[in-house]
Amino acid sequence: MKERPSIDLSIVVPLYNEEESLPELKAWIDRVLVGRTYEVVFVDDGSRDGSWEVISALHAADPDRVVGLRFARNYGKSAGLHMGFQAAQGRVVITMDADLQDSPDEILPLEKQVLEGGLDLVSGWKKKRHDPLSKTIPTKLYNWATRKVSGIELHDFNCGLKAYRREVIKAIEVQGEMHRYIPMLAKNAGFDRIGERVVQHQARKYGSSKFGLERFVNGFLDLMTIGFMSRFSRKPMHLFGALGSVMFLISALGLTVVVGMKLIAMIEVSMTGGEHVAKNITEISAFYISLAGMILGAQFFLAGFLAEMISRSDPSRSDYMVAETTGR
Ligand code: UDP
Ligand code: MG
């Protein structure tokens, strides 16, 4: 990709089958950004409609400002954002959805908040949403859970409209479906000056939502992953080892008690010469529970070891973020 001189803003727009919206979106961005240096990076996530033709036409009409990337197939919004981030050159990078639900009128206020507030990231907050209830209610729950796990006080983590300093987006990798958790990725990478701004939100004008209800299931699974990764990915043994040891020790203690009591009972029987009435040890349920606990504990421990070995042996891992260097 050819290097462009430093510019004020990059607007990164991931899109999948949004041909109707694109010309309107581009025209609106142009109106808002008169007099500024900017680029619009359209990432076509394997659209099956005419989106790529529209992007090509927009590029032909405005070659210096329109950057288009087209995926060979549909990889998902996270992949779109990731590649858009790689291409972006602006001092401030704004992401927005292609479907006109996010308003380009918010671009300049967001940029201002990043620069004047000295912030790493400003997330939009769709305080008044124009979406069906089936979406807004689970979203509240999801935002609450994400606040708890991340410790980041945002109301609307998954808002498509966000602004970043360029350094932030160059440092993070948005994999899988992690676009819902970019503020967490940023925080993990050491960019924790995070702000929020209430933004306008419109109902979808053309086409339909590209995400179904499975978004919530996937969202919660991803939240667990990222919560785990941010705490334990460099030291998985601290979780699995501790869990495994505690489980193993408690179970071993339980087993000792069961076997001990059985032995005492047997000794008593043999000393008093009474008839042996006590249960066989294999008929005592606590025996099996302790045994299962010991096996599970050992398994956890092994899982911790394996995870630790994997995390240490991967040479490509260097996710310690160096904030600055001096002298070289
Ligand atoms: N999108 C994408 N790849 C996908 C699904 C969606 O690039 O696989 C884009 C979509 O075109 C839109 C943005 O992500 O620009 C948000 O998607 P959508 O509007 O369907 O989500 P919703 O507003 O319903 O949350
Ligand atoms: Mg939308």
Side-chain angles (χ1 to χ4, degrees):
M1 189 169 298
K2 71 174 193 279
E3 281 287 319
R4 271 155 292 145
S6 172
I7 49 174
D8 295 338
L9 283 155
S10 293
I11 318 297
V12 173
V13 184
L15 63 113
Y16 178 58
N17 296 345
E18 308 279 6
E19 59 181 356
E20 304 98 326
S21 310
L22 299 178
E24 234 171 282
L25 182 68
K26 170 67 170 49
W28 192 349
I29 292 173
D30 289 342
R31 274 202 306 281
V32 169
L33 295 182
V34 197
R36 302 296 305 273
T37 51
Y38 63 96
E39 63 182 358
V40 185
V41 183
F42 289 109
V43 188
D44 179 355
D45 183 14
S47 295
R48 295 174 174 279
D49 66 354
S51 293
W52 182 246
E53 285 67 39
V54 176
I55 294 169
S56 306
L58 290 172
H59 173 76
D62 191 1
D64 290 338
R65 296 211 188 93
V66 174
V67 179
L69 308 174
R70 186 176 72 84
F71 286 168
R73 68 170 176 85
N74 179 235
Y75 286 104
K77 187 178 177 183
S78 294
L81 286 173
H82 183 71
M83 293 310 286
F85 285 164
Q86 303 239 303
Q89 315 239 330
R91 182 159 61 133
V92 170
V93 177
I94 311 263
T95 59
M96 63 194 306
D97 290 354
D99 55 2
L100 299 167
Q101 289 200 271
D102 299 332
S103 161
D105 290 343
E106 306 288 355
I107 293 175
L108 291 175
L110 281 169
E111 182 203 24
K112 190 165 173 223
Q113 195 168 342
V114 168
L115 293 178
E116 290 183 4
L119 298 177
D120 296 316
L121 183 174
V122 175
S123 180
W125 172 15
K126 294 163 289 191
K127 199 168 182 178
K128 191 166 176 332
R129 286 184 73 132
H130 296 272
D131 278 321
L133 270 187
S134 62
K135 193 151 132 190
T136 49
I137 290 174
T139 296
K140 282 206 162 54
L141 190 67
Y142 146 85
N143 278 312
W144 173 83
T146 311
R147 271 197 298 278
K148 291 291 155 216
V149 172
S150 66
I152 302 172
E153 287 300 317
L154 287 179
H155 292 89
D156 187 4
F157 280 84
N158 192 20
C159 185
L161 191 53
K162 289 189 172 61
Y164 310 82
R165 280 197 299 122
R166 181 177 41 213
E167 293 74 15
V168 179
I169 54 119
K170 296 292 179 193
I172 58 180
E173 249 182 74
V174 194
Q175 297 164 327
E177 295 271 304
M178 291 300 177
H179 61 268
R180 299 187 180 89
Y181 301 104
I182 299 184
M184 281 176 83
L185 297 176
K187 188 180 170 196
N188 288 347
F191 299 105
D192 58 358
R193 287 170 299 177
I194 298 175
E196 186 168 50
R197 178 186 154 78
V198 174
V199 294
Q200 309 161 34
H201 185 239
Q202 275 78 238
R204 213 180 218 283
K205 196 163 168 188
Y206 305 104
S208 56
S209 173
K210 307 300 183 290
F211 296 98
L213 283 175
E214 80 283 353
R215 74 168 80 205
F216 297 110
V217 180
N218 295 342
F220 275 103
L221 293 176
D222 286 341
L223 180 61
M224 281 166 33
T225 307
I226 195 169
F228 171 81
M229 292 300 278
S230 61
R231 255 163 258 182
F232 299 111
S233 72
R234 291 218 148 261
K235 42 182 168 51
M237 199 56 186
H238 286 198
L239 176 68
F240 291 111
L243 208 66
S245 310
V246 168
M247 217 161 152
F248 189 88
L249 286 178
I250 292 177
S251 308
L253 198 71
L255 195 67
T256 314
V257 171
V258 173
V259 172
M261 278 165 55
K262 178 69 192 167
L263 276 177
I264 292 170
M266 280 166 64
I267 292 167
E268 268 177 9
V269 168
S270 68
M271 279 180 25
T272 54
E275 207 178 320
H276 186 82
V277 288
K279 280 189 194 165
N280 209 321
I281 196 159
T282 52
E283 289 166 44
I284 304 170
S285 57
F287 173 72
Y288 289 106
I289 295 173
S290 327
L291 213 55
M294 282 175 72
I295 295 171
L296 272 178
Q299 291 289 346
F300 270 129
F301 210 87
L302 276 177
F305 258 133
L306 288 177
E308 195 81 21
M309 278 162 62
I310 292 168
S311 96
R312 280 163 198 241
S313 65
D314 180 355
S316 66
R317 284 196 57 161
S318 67
D319 50 6
Y320 297 118
M321 292 306 308
V322 178
E324 263 178 274
T325 53
T326 179
R328 61 155 299 167

